[in-house]
Amino acid sequence: MNDRDIQTDRDWLMFIEKDIDVLDQQIYHATWTIKQSQTALERLSAARDSLLTQAQEILDRLDGKPTA
């Protein structure tokens, strides 16, 4: 291998390293977005469950059932 080929290979490695860094950043941001979405979904589900519980308590009162 001559010096020119060695330099070309080194240059390619630098380009590959930069591409990997960009992909790592994109993966990090995608993962963060997914985690935030999961947290929001959990909060929305908890709020829905709470409203369903309240609605059931009201329906039970209207039906004359004892409440907890």
Side-chain angles (χ1 to χ4, degrees):
M1 217 178 196
N2 62 36
D3 288 344
R4 185 173 180 175
D5 290 339
I6 291 171
Q7 185 58 46
T8 299
D9 284 349
R10 287 181 178 161
D11 291 343
W12 274 109
L13 285 174
M14 287 175 36
F15 289 129
I16 290 170
E17 182 180 17
K18 288 179 184 178
D19 287 344
I20 290 171
D21 288 343
V22 169
L23 289 170
D24 284 344
Q25 289 176 359
Q26 291 175 344
I27 290 168
Y28 170 81
H29 290 296
T31 302
W32 183 85
T33 300
I34 289 168
K35 287 180 182 176
Q36 293 301 311
S37 295
Q38 287 174 338
T39 299
L41 180 58
E42 290 168 0
R43 289 180 184 160
L44 291 171
S45 293
R48 181 180 182 276
D49 290 346
S50 176
L51 290 173
L52 286 171
T53 299
Q54 290 176 16
Q56 188 61 54
E57 289 173 0
I58 292 169
L59 288 171
D60 289 345
R61 272 199 312 267
L62 291 172
D63 286 342
K65 295 179 183 177
T67 59

Coordinates of all heavy atoms in Angstrom, one line a residue:
M1 N 0.9 -1.2 0.0 CA 0.0 0.0 0.0 C 0.9 1.2 0.0 O 1.8 1.4 0.8 CB -0.9 0.0 1.2 CG -2.2 0.5 1.0 SD -3.2 0.4 2.5 CE -4.8 0.6 1.8
N2 N 0.6 2.2 -0.9 CA 1.4 3.4 -0.9 C 0.8 4.5 0.0 O -0.3 4.3 0.5 CB 1.6 3.9 -2.4 CG 0.3 4.3 -3.0 OD1 -0.6 4.8 -2.3 ND2 0.2 4.0 -4.3
D3 N 1.6 5.5 0.1 CA 1.2 6.6 1.0 C -0.2 7.2 0.6 O -1.0 7.6 1.5 CB 2.2 7.7 1.1 CG 3.5 7.3 1.8 OD1 3.4 6.2 2.6 OD2 4.5 7.9 1.7
R4 N -0.4 7.3 -0.7 CA -1.7 7.9 -1.1 C -2.8 7.0 -0.8 O -3.9 7.5 -0.3 CB -1.6 8.1 -2.6 CG -2.8 8.8 -3.2 CD -2.6 9.1 -4.6 NE -3.8 9.8 -5.1 CZ -3.9 10.3 -6.3 NH1 -3.0 10.2 -7.1 NH2 -5.0 10.9 -6.6
D5 N -2.7 5.7 -0.9 CA -3.8 4.8 -0.5 C -4.1 4.8 1.0 O -5.2 4.8 1.4 CB -3.5 3.4 -1.0 CG -3.5 3.2 -2.5 OD1 -4.1 4.0 -3.2 OD2 -2.9 2.2 -3.0
I6 N -3.0 4.9 1.7 CA -3.1 5.0 3.2 C -3.9 6.3 3.5 O -4.8 6.2 4.4 CB -1.7 5.0 3.8 CG1 -1.1 3.6 3.7 CG2 -1.9 5.3 5.3 CD1 0.3 3.5 4.1
Q7 N -3.5 7.4 2.9 CA -4.2 8.7 3.2 C -5.7 8.6 2.8 O -6.6 9.1 3.5 CB -3.5 9.8 2.6 CG -4.1 11.2 2.9 CD -4.1 11.4 4.4 OE1 -3.0 11.2 5.1 NE2 -5.2 11.9 5.0
T8 N -6.0 8.0 1.7 CA -7.3 7.8 1.2 C -8.1 7.0 2.2 O -9.3 7.4 2.6 CB -7.4 7.2 -0.2 OG1 -6.7 8.0 -1.1 CG2 -8.8 7.0 -0.7
D9 N -7.6 5.9 2.7 CA -8.3 5.1 3.7 C -8.5 5.9 5.0 O -9.6 5.8 5.6 CB -7.5 3.8 3.9 CG -7.6 2.8 2.8 OD1 -8.4 3.0 1.9 OD2 -6.8 1.8 2.9
R10 N -7.5 6.6 5.4 CA -7.7 7.4 6.6 C -8.8 8.5 6.4 O -9.6 8.7 7.3 CB -6.4 8.1 7.0 CG -5.4 7.2 7.5 CD -4.1 7.9 7.9 NE -3.2 6.9 8.5 CZ -1.9 7.1 8.6 NH1 -1.4 8.3 8.2 NH2 -1.1 6.2 9.2
D11 N -8.8 9.1 5.2 CA -9.9 10.1 4.9 C -11.3 9.4 5.0 O -12.2 10.0 5.5 CB -9.7 10.7 3.6 CG -8.5 11.6 3.5 OD1 -8.0 12.0 4.6 OD2 -8.0 12.0 2.4
W12 N -11.4 8.2 4.4 CA -12.7 7.5 4.4 C -13.1 7.2 5.9 O -14.2 7.3 6.2 CB -12.6 6.2 3.6 CG -12.9 6.4 2.2 CD1 -12.0 6.4 1.2 CD2 -14.1 6.7 1.6 NE1 -12.6 6.6 0.0 CE2 -13.9 6.9 0.2 CE3 -15.4 6.9 2.1 CZ2 -15.0 7.2 -0.6 CZ3 -16.4 7.2 1.3 CH2 -16.2 7.4 -0.1
L13 N -12.1 6.8 6.7 CA -12.4 6.5 8.1 C -12.9 7.8 8.8 O -13.8 7.7 9.6 CB -11.2 6.0 8.8 CG -10.8 4.5 8.5 CD1 -9.5 4.1 9.2 CD2 -11.9 3.6 8.9
M14 N -12.4 8.9 8.5 CA -12.9 10.2 9.1 C -14.3 10.4 8.7 O -15.1 10.8 9.5 CB -12.0 11.3 8.7 CG -10.6 11.3 9.4 SD -9.4 12.5 9.0 CE -10.3 14.0 8.7
F15 N -14.6 10.2 7.4 CA -16.0 10.4 6.9 C -16.9 9.5 7.6 O -18.1 9.8 8.0 CB -16.1 10.3 5.4 CG -15.4 11.4 4.6 CD1 -14.5 11.1 3.6 CD2 -15.7 12.7 4.8 CE1 -13.9 12.1 2.9 CE2 -15.1 13.7 4.1 CZ -14.2 13.4 3.1
I16 N -16.5 8.2 7.7 CA -17.4 7.2 8.3 C -17.6 7.6 9.8 O -18.7 7.5 10.3 CB -16.7 5.8 8.2 CG1 -16.8 5.4 6.7 CG2 -17.4 4.8 9.1 CD1 -16.0 4.1 6.4
E17 N -16.6 8.0 10.5 CA -16.7 8.4 11.9 C -17.7 9.6 12.0 O -18.6 9.5 12.9 CB -15.4 8.8 12.5 CG -15.4 9.2 13.9 CD -14.1 9.6 14.5 OE1 -13.1 9.9 13.7 OE2 -13.9 9.6 15.7
K18 N -17.7 10.5 11.1 CA -18.6 11.7 11.2 C -20.0 11.2 11.0 O -21.0 11.6 11.6 CB -18.2 12.7 10.2 CG -17.0 13.5 10.5 CD -16.7 14.5 9.5 CE -15.4 15.2 9.8 NZ -15.0 16.2 8.8
D19 N -20.2 10.3 10.0 CA -21.5 9.7 9.7 C -22.1 8.9 11.0 O -23.3 9.0 11.3 CB -21.5 8.8 8.5 CG -21.4 9.5 7.2 OD1 -21.6 10.8 7.2 OD2 -21.1 8.9 6.2
I20 N -21.2 8.2 11.6 CA -21.6 7.4 12.8 C -22.0 8.4 13.9 O -23.0 8.2 14.6 CB -20.5 6.5 13.2 CG1 -20.3 5.3 12.2 CG2 -20.8 6.0 14.7 CD1 -19.1 4.5 12.5
D21 N -21.3 9.5 14.1 CA -21.6 10.5 15.1 C -23.0 11.1 14.8 O -23.8 11.3 15.7 CB -20.6 11.6 15.1 CG -19.3 11.1 15.8 OD1 -19.2 10.1 16.5 OD2 -18.2 11.9 15.6
V22 N -23.3 11.4 13.6 CA -24.6 12.0 13.2 C -25.7 11.0 13.5 O -26.7 11.3 14.0 CB -24.6 12.4 11.7 CG1 -26.0 12.7 11.3 CG2 -23.7 13.6 11.5
L23 N -25.5 9.7 13.1 CA -26.5 8.7 13.4 C -26.7 8.5 14.9 O -27.8 8.3 15.3 CB -26.1 7.4 12.7 CG -26.2 7.3 11.2 CD1 -25.5 6.1 10.6 CD2 -27.6 7.4 10.8
D24 N -25.6 8.5 15.7 CA -25.7 8.4 17.1 C -26.6 9.5 17.7 O -27.4 9.3 18.6 CB -24.4 8.4 17.8 CG -23.6 7.1 17.6 OD1 -24.2 6.1 17.3 OD2 -22.4 7.1 17.9
Q25 N -26.4 10.7 17.2 CA -27.2 11.8 17.6 C -28.7 11.6 17.3 O -29.6 11.9 18.1 CB -26.7 13.2 17.1 CG -25.4 13.6 17.6 CD -24.9 14.9 16.9 OE1 -25.5 15.4 16.0 NE2 -23.7 15.3 17.4
Q26 N -28.9 11.2 16.1 CA -30.3 10.9 15.6 C -31.0 9.8 16.5 O -32.1 9.9 16.8 CB -30.4 10.6 14.1 CG -30.0 11.8 13.3 CD -29.9 11.4 11.8 OE1 -29.8 10.2 11.4 NE2 -29.9 12.4 10.9
I27 N -30.2 8.8 16.8 CA -30.7 7.7 17.6 C -31.1 8.2 19.0 O -32.1 7.9 19.6 CB -29.7 6.5 17.6 CG1 -29.7 5.8 16.3 CG2 -30.1 5.6 18.8 CD1 -28.5 4.9 16.1
Y28 N -30.2 9.1 19.5 CA -30.4 9.6 20.9 C -31.7 10.4 20.9 O -32.6 10.3 21.8 CB -29.2 10.5 21.3 CG -29.5 11.3 22.5 CD1 -29.4 10.7 23.8 CD2 -29.9 12.6 22.5 CE1 -29.7 11.4 24.9 CE2 -30.2 13.4 23.6 CZ -30.1 12.7 24.8 OH -30.4 13.5 26.0
H29 N -31.9 11.3 19.9 CA -33.1 12.2 19.8 C -34.3 11.4 19.6 O -35.4 11.6 20.2 CB -32.9 13.3 18.8 CG -31.9 14.3 19.1 ND1 -32.0 15.2 20.2 CD2 -30.7 14.6 18.6 CE1 -31.0 15.9 20.3 NE2 -30.1 15.6 19.3
A30 N -34.3 10.4 18.8 CA -35.4 9.5 18.5 C -35.8 8.8 19.8 O -37.0 8.6 20.1 CB -35.1 8.5 17.4
T31 N -34.8 8.3 20.5 CA -35.1 7.6 21.8 C -35.7 8.5 22.8 O -36.7 8.1 23.5 CB -33.8 7.0 22.3 OG1 -33.2 6.1 21.3 CG2 -34.0 6.2 23.6
W32 N -35.2 9.7 22.9 CA -35.7 10.7 23.8 C -37.2 11.0 23.5 O -38.1 11.1 24.3 CB -34.9 12.0 23.7 CG -35.3 13.0 24.7 CD1 -35.0 13.2 26.0 CD2 -36.3 14.1 24.4 NE1 -35.6 14.2 26.6 CE2 -36.4 14.8 25.6 CE3 -37.0 14.5 23.3 CZ2 -37.2 16.0 25.7 CZ3 -37.8 15.6 23.4 CH2 -37.9 16.3 24.6
T33 N -37.5 11.2 22.2 CA -38.8 11.5 21.7 C -39.8 10.3 22.1 O -40.9 10.5 22.6 CB -38.9 11.7 20.2 OG1 -38.0 12.8 19.9 CG2 -40.3 12.0 19.7
I34 N -39.3 9.1 21.9 CA -40.1 7.9 22.2 C -40.4 7.9 23.7 O -41.6 7.7 24.2 CB -39.5 6.6 21.8 CG1 -39.5 6.5 20.3 CG2 -40.1 5.4 22.4 CD1 -38.6 5.5 19.7
K35 N -39.4 8.2 24.5 CA -39.6 8.1 26.0 C -40.6 9.2 26.4 O -41.4 9.0 27.3 CB -38.3 8.3 26.7 CG -37.4 7.1 26.7 CD -36.1 7.3 27.4 CE -35.2 6.1 27.2 NZ -33.9 6.3 27.8
Q36 N -40.5 10.4 25.8 CA -41.4 11.5 26.2 C -42.8 11.1 25.8 O -43.8 11.4 26.5 CB -41.0 12.8 25.5 CG -39.7 13.3 26.0 CD -39.7 13.6 27.5 OE1 -40.6 14.3 28.0 NE2 -38.7 13.2 28.2
S37 N -43.0 10.5 24.6 CA -44.3 10.1 24.1 C -44.9 9.0 25.1 O -46.1 9.1 25.4 CB -44.2 9.5 22.7 OG -43.8 10.5 21.8
Q38 N -44.1 8.1 25.5 CA -44.5 7.1 26.5 C -45.0 7.7 27.8 O -46.0 7.3 28.3 CB -43.4 6.0 26.7 CG -43.2 5.1 25.5 CD -42.0 4.2 25.7 OE1 -41.1 4.5 26.6 NE2 -42.0 3.1 25.0
T39 N -44.2 8.7 28.3 CA -44.6 9.4 29.5 C -45.9 10.1 29.3 O -46.8 10.0 30.2 CB -43.5 10.4 29.9 OG1 -42.3 9.6 30.1 CG2 -43.9 11.1 31.2
A40 N -46.1 10.8 28.2 CA -47.4 11.5 27.9 C -48.5 10.5 27.8 O -49.6 10.7 28.4 CB -47.2 12.3 26.7
L41 N -48.3 9.4 27.2 CA -49.3 8.4 27.0 C -49.7 7.8 28.4 O -50.9 7.6 28.7 CB -48.8 7.2 26.1 CG -49.8 6.1 25.9 CD1 -51.1 6.6 25.3 CD2 -49.2 5.1 25.0
E42 N -48.8 7.6 29.3 CA -49.1 7.1 30.6 C -49.9 8.1 31.4 O -50.8 7.7 32.1 CB -47.7 6.7 31.3 CG -47.0 5.5 30.8 CD -45.6 5.4 31.3 OE1 -45.2 6.2 32.1 OE2 -45.0 4.4 30.9
R43 N -49.5 9.4 31.3 CA -50.3 10.4 32.0 C -51.7 10.5 31.4 O -52.7 10.6 32.2 CB -49.6 11.8 31.8 CG -48.3 11.9 32.6 CD -47.7 13.2 32.4 NE -46.4 13.3 33.1 CZ -45.5 14.1 32.9 NH1 -45.6 15.0 31.9 NH2 -44.3 14.1 33.5
L44 N -51.9 10.4 30.1 CA -53.2 10.5 29.5 C -54.0 9.3 30.0 O -55.2 9.4 30.3 CB -53.1 10.6 28.0 CG -52.6 11.9 27.4 CD1 -52.3 11.7 25.9 CD2 -53.5 13.0 27.7
S45 N -53.4 8.1 30.0 CA -54.1 6.9 30.4 C -54.5 7.0 31.9 O -55.7 6.6 32.2 CB -53.3 5.7 30.2 OG -53.1 5.5 28.8
A46 N -53.7 7.5 32.7 CA -54.0 7.7 34.1 C -55.1 8.7 34.3 O -56.0 8.4 35.1 CB -52.8 8.2 34.9
A47 N -55.1 9.8 33.6 CA -56.2 10.7 33.6 C -57.5 10.1 33.2 O -58.6 10.3 33.8 CB -55.9 12.0 32.8
R48 N -57.5 9.3 32.1 CA -58.7 8.6 31.6 C -59.2 7.7 32.7 O -60.4 7.6 33.0 CB -58.4 7.9 30.3 CG -59.6 7.2 29.7 CD -59.2 6.5 28.4 NE -60.3 5.9 27.8 CZ -60.7 4.6 28.1 NH1 -60.1 3.9 29.1 NH2 -61.8 4.1 27.5
D49 N -58.3 6.9 33.3 CA -58.7 5.9 34.3 C -59.4 6.6 35.5 O -60.4 6.2 36.0 CB -57.5 5.1 34.8 CG -57.0 4.1 33.7 OD1 -57.8 3.9 32.7 OD2 -55.9 3.6 33.9
S50 N -58.8 7.8 35.9 CA -59.4 8.5 37.0 C -60.8 9.0 36.6 O -61.7 9.0 37.5 CB -58.5 9.7 37.3 OG -59.0 10.5 38.3
L51 N -61.0 9.5 35.4 CA -62.3 10.0 35.0 C -63.3 8.8 35.0 O -64.5 9.0 35.4 CB -62.2 10.7 33.7 CG -61.5 12.0 33.7 CD1 -61.3 12.5 32.2 CD2 -62.3 13.0 34.5
L52 N -62.9 7.7 34.5 CA -63.8 6.5 34.5 C -64.2 6.1 35.9 O -65.3 5.8 36.2 CB -63.1 5.3 33.8 CG -63.0 5.4 32.3 CD1 -62.1 4.3 31.7 CD2 -64.4 5.4 31.6
T53 N -63.2 6.2 36.8 CA -63.5 5.8 38.2 C -64.5 6.8 38.8 O -65.5 6.4 39.5 CB -62.2 5.9 39.1 OG1 -61.3 4.9 38.5 CG2 -62.5 5.6 40.5
Q54 N -64.3 8.1 38.5 CA -65.3 9.1 39.0 C -66.6 8.9 38.4 O -67.7 9.0 39.1 CB -64.7 10.5 38.7 CG -63.5 10.9 39.5 CD -63.0 12.3 39.1 OE1 -63.7 13.1 38.4 NE2 -61.8 12.6 39.5
A55 N -66.7 8.6 37.1 CA -68.0 8.4 36.5 C -68.7 7.2 37.1 O -69.9 7.2 37.3 CB -67.8 8.2 35.0
Q56 N -67.9 6.1 37.4 CA -68.6 5.0 38.0 C -69.1 5.3 39.3 O -70.2 4.8 39.7 CB -67.5 3.8 38.0 CG -68.2 2.5 38.4 CD -69.2 2.0 37.5 OE1 -69.0 1.9 36.3 NE2 -70.4 1.8 38.0
E57 N -68.4 6.0 40.1 CA -68.8 6.4 41.5 C -70.1 7.2 41.4 O -71.1 7.0 42.2 CB -67.8 7.2 42.2 CG -66.6 6.4 42.6 CD -65.4 7.3 43.2 OE1 -65.6 8.5 43.2 OE2 -64.4 6.7 43.5
I58 N -70.2 8.1 40.4 CA -71.4 8.9 40.2 C -72.6 8.0 39.8 O -73.7 8.1 40.3 CB -71.2 10.0 39.2 CG1 -70.2 11.1 39.8 CG2 -72.5 10.7 38.8 CD1 -69.8 12.1 38.8
L59 N -72.3 7.1 38.9 CA -73.4 6.2 38.5 C -73.9 5.3 39.6 O -75.1 5.0 39.8 CB -72.9 5.3 37.3 CG -72.7 6.0 36.0 CD1 -72.0 5.0 35.0 CD2 -74.0 6.4 35.4
D60 N -72.9 4.8 40.4 CA -73.3 4.0 41.6 C -74.2 4.8 42.6 O -75.1 4.3 43.1 CB -72.0 3.5 42.3 CG -71.3 2.4 41.5 OD1 -71.9 1.9 40.6 OD2 -70.1 2.1 41.9
R61 N -73.8 6.1 42.8 CA -74.6 6.9 43.7 C -76.1 7.1 43.1 O -77.0 7.0 43.8 CB -74.0 8.3 43.9 CG -73.0 8.4 45.0 CD -72.7 9.8 45.4 NE -72.4 10.7 44.3 CZ -71.2 11.0 43.9 NH1 -70.2 10.5 44.4 NH2 -71.0 11.9 42.9
L62 N -76.1 7.3 41.8 CA -77.4 7.5 41.2 C -78.2 6.2 41.3 O -79.5 6.3 41.3 CB -77.3 7.9 39.7 CG -76.7 9.3 39.5 CD1 -76.4 9.6 38.0 CD2 -77.7 10.4 40.0
D63 N -77.6 5.1 41.3 CA -78.3 3.8 41.4 C -78.6 3.4 42.8 O -79.2 2.4 43.1 CB -77.5 2.7 40.7 CG -77.4 2.7 39.2 OD1 -78.3 3.4 38.7 OD2 -76.6 2.1 38.6
G64 N -78.1 4.3 43.8 CA -78.4 4.1 45.2 C -77.4 3.0 45.8 O -77.7 2.5 46.9
K65 N -76.3 2.8 45.1 CA -75.3 1.8 45.7 C -74.4 2.5 46.7 O -74.1 3.7 46.5 CB -74.5 1.2 44.6 CG -75.3 0.3 43.6 CD -74.4 -0.2 42.5 CE -75.2 -1.0 41.5 NZ -74.3 -1.5 40.4
P66 N -74.0 1.9 47.7 CA -73.1 2.5 48.7 C -71.7 2.8 48.0 O -71.3 2.0 47.2 CB -72.9 1.5 49.8 CG -73.4 0.2 49.2 CD -74.3 0.5 48.1
T67 N -71.1 3.9 48.4 CA -69.8 4.2 47.9 C -68.7 3.9 48.8 O -69.0 3.8 50.0 CB -69.7 5.7 47.5 OG1 -70.0 6.5 48.7 CG2 -70.7 6.1 46.4
A68 N -67.5 3.7 48.4 CA -66.4 3.3 49.2 C -65.9 4.5 50.1 O -66.1 5.6 49.9 CB -65.3 2.8 48.4

